[in-house]
C-alpha cells in the first residue's frame, strides 16, 4: 500500500518486509537483554500498562511522577546502542544529517494501552519522531496540536512506519488498544512500538 497522510502524520503501511521485521525483533531482543523492560509510573502514581526500555545515548524514564530522558537505565547501566537496522530506517525517512539520540521501545501486552499525549520532552521539535510498529495490530488515535477536539483512528500493523513531524510534531496521539494475537511475529504475542527521537 502506498503512503498517506493522516492529520499530518506520514503513514507508510508495510514499509518493512517480513524479513526486516524478524531481523529487527532479533536486535530488539538483545536490547531488552541488556536493558530490561520496566513499567514507568504515571503522574497519578500508577504503573503504566505499557512496558518500556530504550536504546541510544538517552532513554525515557519516569521518576517521582515526572518523566525525563536519562543517560542510564533505572538499574544503572548505560542504554545499549540503537540497532543499525533502526538507524537505517531513520536515515531513509528522516535524515542522514544526524541520528536519533533515543529509540524508545514500548511493549504492549494483552490489554495495554497508551493515553493521548504529546511528545514534548525533546529540545528541538523541528526533528520528527519516527515510529515503527511490530507484532500485533494497535489502534492509533490522532487528535490535535492542542488538547481536545475530534480524533481519528487508524490500525497500525506490523511493519508500518509513521513519521510525526512538521506541524503534526506536537499532535496528541495515543493507542487505544491492541488486537492481541493478530500477528505471529512475536512469540509471546503483543505489540512493540519503537519511537526514535532527537533529544538534545
Ligand atoms: C508513543 O506515542 O510513544 C507510542 C505510539 C505507538 O505505540 O504507536
Ligand atoms: Mn508519543
Amino acid at each position: 500500500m502506498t503512503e498517506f497522510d493522516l492529520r499530518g502524520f506520514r503513514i507508510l503501511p508495510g514499509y518493512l518486509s517480513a524479513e526486516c521485521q524478524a531481523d529487527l525483533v532479533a536486535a530488539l531482543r538483545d536490547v531488552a537483554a541488556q536493558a530490561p523492560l520496566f513499567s514507568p509510573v504515571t503522574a497519578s502514581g500508577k504503573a503504566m500498562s505499557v512496558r518500556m526500555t530504550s536504546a541510544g545515548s538517552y532513554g525515557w524514564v519516569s521518576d517521582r511522577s515526572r518523566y525525563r530522558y536519562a543517560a542510564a537505565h533505572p538499574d544503572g547501566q548505560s542504554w545499549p546502542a540503537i540497532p543499525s537496522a533502526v538507524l537505517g530506517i531513520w536515515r531513509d525517512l528522516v535524515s542522514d544529517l544526524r541520528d536519533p539520540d533515543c529509540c524508545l521501545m514500548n511493549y504492549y501486552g494483552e490489554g495495554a494501552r497508551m493515553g493521548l499525549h504529546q511528545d514534548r520532552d525533546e529540545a528541538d521539535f523541528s526533528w520528527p519522531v519516527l515510529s515503527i510498529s511490530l507484532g500485533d495490530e494497535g489502534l492509533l488515535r490522532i487528535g490535535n496540536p492542542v488538547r481536545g477536539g475530534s480524533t481519528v483512528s487508524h490500525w497500525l500493523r506490523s511493519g508500518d512506519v509513521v513519521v510525526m513531524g512538521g506541524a503534526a510534531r506536537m499532535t496528541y496521539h495515543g493507542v487505544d488498544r491492541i488486537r492481541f494475537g493478530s500477528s505471529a511475529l512475536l512469540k509471546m504475542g503483543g505489540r512493540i512500538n519503537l519511537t526514535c527521537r532527537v533529544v538534545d
Side-chain angles (χ1 to χ4, degrees):
M1 203 203 216
T2 47
E3 66 175 84
F4 61 97
D5 177 288
L6 198 54
R7 293 204 176 175
F9 283 22
R10 181 182 173 201
I11 301 187
L12 298 104
Y15 183 80
L16 298 172
S17 67
E19 193 185 343
C20 289
Q21 294 173 43
D23 290 348
L24 264 180
V25 171
L28 296 172
R29 216 170 270 133
D30 289 344
V31 167
Q34 295 169 66
L37 290 163
F38 58 93
S39 301
V41 173
T42 63
S44 62
K46 281 199 282 201
M48 285 179 72
S49 57
V50 176
R51 293 160 70 214
M52 298 182 179
T53 191
S54 296
S57 45
Y58 289 105
W60 201 77
V61 298
S62 67
D63 88 348
R64 283 191 222 107
S65 311
R66 173 174 164 261
Y67 306 126
R68 63 186 175 91
Y69 283 103
H73 185 280
D75 292 346
Q77 70 277 38
S78 340
W79 307 100
I82 299 178
S84 56
V86 174
L87 294 178
I89 302 165
W90 173 276
R91 290 170 191 160
D92 280 351
L93 291 176
V94 178
S95 173
D96 52 15
L97 295 179
R98 77 165 282 182
D99 285 335
D101 305 306
C102 170
C103 171
L104 174 65
M105 173 173 162
N106 292 333
Y107 174 70
Y108 297 74
E110 193 161 13
R113 56 184 303 280
M114 184 176 290
L116 279 176
H117 65 277
Q118 288 174 308
D119 290 352
R120 58 171 178 208
D121 295 321
E122 300 76 24
D124 180 356
F125 300 135
S126 68
W127 286 98
V129 172
L130 172 74
S131 145
I132 301 166
S133 292
L134 296 164
D136 289 339
E137 295 167 14
L139 186 60
L140 175 70
R141 185 196 287 262
I142 304 172
N144 302 284
V146 291
R147 196 179 276 285
S150 69
T151 63
V152 294
S153 294
H154 174 74
W155 282 101
L156 289 175
R157 299 191 165 79
S158 194
D160 291 358
V161 174
V162 183
V163 183
M164 306 183 276
R169 176 62 179 75
M170 300 312 289
T171 291
Y172 278 83
H173 58 280
V175 174
D176 285 342
R177 61 195 164 94
I178 66 164
R179 281 185 180 136
F180 192 80
S182 55
S183 158
L185 184 70
L186 305 178
K187 274 194 229 99
M188 69 286 199
R191 172 175 187 261
I192 292 174
N193 176 265
L194 304 176
T195 42
C196 295
R197 300 126 187 272
V198 168
V199 173
D200 279 334

